[in-house]
Amino acid sequence: MTNNLEWVDEAWQKVQAKIDRTSKKIGANFPHASVNGTYQLEEPHWWTAGFWPGLLWLVYRESKNESLKQLAEQCEDRLDSVITDYYRLDHDMGFMWTLTSVARFKLLGEEDSKRRALLVANLLAGRFNTSGNYIRAWNPWQEGEDNSGWAIIDCLMNLPLLFWATEETGDPRFSAVAKKHGETVLKNFIREDGSVHHIIRFDPVSGERVEAIGGQGFAPDSAWSRGASWAVYGLTLLFHHTKEDKYLQAAKNVSHFFIANLPEDYVPHWDFRLPEEVTKYRDSSAGAIASCGLLLLAEHVPATEEKIYKDAGVKILKSLYKNYGDWENPEQDGLILHGTSHYPEGKNIDVPLIYGDYYFVEGLAILKGDRKLFW
């Protein structure tokens, strides 16, 4: 299976052609979900603001298309207003500035990008709750609301910004925060069978665990597939940066659960534990995210185990390309159809999602042999 990858170059050419087209329409903005074929734009503070510029950097890295580079740089400039506003910053700083400032610094050595990313890494580390050893998720959405004790599985993907900051500065404070948050995830988020919780609420003063909350999954005891995919990739990245075996074993555990629960076409439903009466919409974005984690995991396990993870990652990406991709249709901005953003709130169900597009293209880049991760 993994030896027959001719389709990858074909897929890359189609991605490149479509991004060249859609970039002229989307510009230096922040698309989130495609509604009726058009990517809806969010404000710069929205958590997905890094994915479009990150996608532009992925394509630019190979094509050297100057217009894509300029748009990605303009997106990064626009994010400065979020830093100075401060009130809108939350745990997702890692998503936002890893795929803008860190990506640009790694590709071009841009000093302003390094400075931005280090500043944001300090702000992210400042959200660490020392009683509970977790990075706090979100801020109050309404006056009087208190979510100061909340941590979420997604936040694993914000930790690479902290590891990068330690690598760049030699200061171990950043990676210490990342590792302590990772240990909290192992202890509180990963179930024995490899499924994961989306949200855990801690007492923000004592640090004691209070409860699990369903979040974007169907229920507190269900298995939200995108949460599982964040865990597959995030735990693998924790091992990638720390080389601590406990993260490798956890990554394998959640990966086995993920792979075992995939349907025949290898693209997951939005939750792996749904009652019969609930519509089993796909979440192509969960597949795309997990594929990147599985391909990276395959590089870190013994040769006898590599095939399990690489085959699954390749099969997910190939199915996304063949069965979910939208390439020549001028009426559709998105690359990958059938994502599910937030089913419990009824938001953006069965539509392309910018993070699904981003991770699909990152997965293709890995298969093409580019091992230089922005993460």
Side-chain angles (χ1 to χ4, degrees):
M1 172 71 203
T2 53
N3 295 323
N4 184 18
L5 295 177
E6 293 90 352
W7 62 271
V8 175
D9 287 330
E10 176 186 289
W12 187 267
Q13 295 305 318
K14 290 186 178 180
V15 164
Q16 196 166 279
K18 184 153 187 177
I19 295 301
D20 284 349
R21 270 199 323 273
T22 58
S23 64
K24 295 173 177 65
K25 177 181 177 184
I26 295 170
N29 287 297
F30 304 104
H32 175 63
S34 176
V35 178
N36 298 321
T38 298
Y39 257 125
Q40 304 300 296
L41 305 180
E42 296 289 348
E43 292 300 311
H45 63 76
W46 193 240
W47 76 275
T48 56
F51 290 110
W52 172 243
L55 182 49
L56 296 175
W57 284 126
L58 284 175
V59 177
Y60 167 79
R61 184 165 64 182
E62 179 161 313
S63 72
K64 298 298 185 281
N65 181 331
E66 275 296 305
S67 68
L68 302 186
K69 170 178 173 277
Q70 289 167 8
L71 290 176
E73 290 172 341
Q74 289 165 23
C75 287
E76 183 186 357
D77 289 344
R78 289 190 64 195
L79 289 179
D80 283 352
S81 65
V82 187
I83 300 175
T84 52
D85 171 69
Y86 177 73
Y87 294 116
R88 296 289 192 172
L89 292 172
D90 63 18
H91 63 288
D92 282 325
M93 288 179 258
F95 274 121
M96 297 164 72
W97 278 274
T98 299
L99 296 181
T100 53
S101 296
V102 174
R104 186 181 177 194
F105 177 69
K106 286 185 174 182
L107 290 172
L108 304 175
E110 177 61 53
E111 197 65 26
D112 279 347
S113 296
K114 177 181 176 181
R115 191 179 296 111
R116 284 179 174 117
L118 289 175
L119 171 59
V120 172
N122 273 276
L123 294 168
L124 178 59
R127 294 184 68 85
F128 185 69
N129 182 306
T130 55
S131 298
N133 285 330
Y134 63 88
I135 294 171
R136 178 199 169 168
W138 298 308
N139 302 313
W141 289 297
Q142 288 124 20
E143 183 141 3
E145 183 179 32
D146 180 12
N147 51 19
S148 58
W150 288 23
I152 63 173
I153 194 67
D154 321 33
C155 196
L156 284 173
M157 294 300 297
N158 294 306
L159 304 184
L161 176 65
L162 299 175
F163 287 115
W164 171 85
T166 286
E167 288 164 16
E168 282 302 316
T169 63
D171 188 334
R173 291 177 304 144
F174 302 104
S175 60
V177 166
K179 285 190 268 192
K180 285 188 177 298
H181 181 91
E183 287 163 5
T184 298
V185 169
L186 293 188
K187 183 179 176 185
N188 293 281
F189 281 82
I190 315 298
R191 302 187 186 104
E192 195 173 332
D193 67 356
S195 62
V196 302
H197 296 290
H198 182 197
I199 302 171
I200 299 292
R201 181 165 72 90
F202 299 91
D203 182 306
V205 177
S206 70
E208 293 296 312
R209 173 177 165 154
V210 177
E211 63 177 335
I213 300 172
Q216 285 166 256
F218 179 75
D221 56 353
S222 70
W224 179 46
S225 64
R226 192 159 68 252
S229 70
W230 293 136
V232 168
Y233 202 2
L235 290 167
T236 302
L237 284 165
L238 263 168
F239 177 74
H240 178 76
H241 286 288
T242 67
K243 300 300 183 280
E244 293 183 24
D245 187 65
K246 61 189 176 186
Y247 297 121
L248 180 64
Q249 299 310 319
K252 287 162 66 171
N253 190 24
V254 297
S255 295
H256 294 166
F257 176 84
F258 192 93
I259 294 167
N261 283 279
L262 289 173
E264 283 185 16
D265 72 351
Y266 275 78
V267 176
H269 301 109
W270 70 275
D271 195 303
F272 291 125
R273 290 194 189 114
L274 289 174
E276 283 302 315
E277 66 274 12
V278 177
T279 305
K280 290 184 169 63
Y281 290 106
R282 301 299 173 122
D283 183 10
S284 56
S285 75
I289 295 158
S291 72
C292 296
L294 291 166
L295 293 174
L296 182 62
L297 182 57
E299 296 178 17
H300 285 301
V301 296
T304 52
E305 299 175 25
E306 176 187 359
K307 190 176 188 301
I308 301 167
Y309 307 109
K310 187 170 183 182
D311 275 6
V314 170
K315 285 175 180 174
I316 292 168
L317 285 169
K318 187 172 184 180
S319 184
L320 289 172
Y321 170 57
K322 298 284 190 183
N323 304 318
Y324 293 73
D326 191 302
W327 308 114
E328 279 83 30
N329 176 14
E331 304 300 315
Q332 175 55 262
D333 293 347
L335 303 180
I336 303 297
L337 307 174
H338 307 303
T340 296
S341 173
H342 199 323
Y343 181 91
E345 288 190 359
K347 290 180 180 172
N348 298 317
I349 296 169
D350 197 28
V351 296
L353 300 165
I354 192 62
Y355 40 95
D357 287 359
Y358 171 83
Y359 285 104
F360 172 74
V361 177
E362 185 182 290
L364 289 184
I366 295 169
L367 288 183
K368 282 171 61 63
D370 203 320
R371 296 297 191 269
K372 299 184 209 71
L373 291 170
F374 296 153
W375 311 101

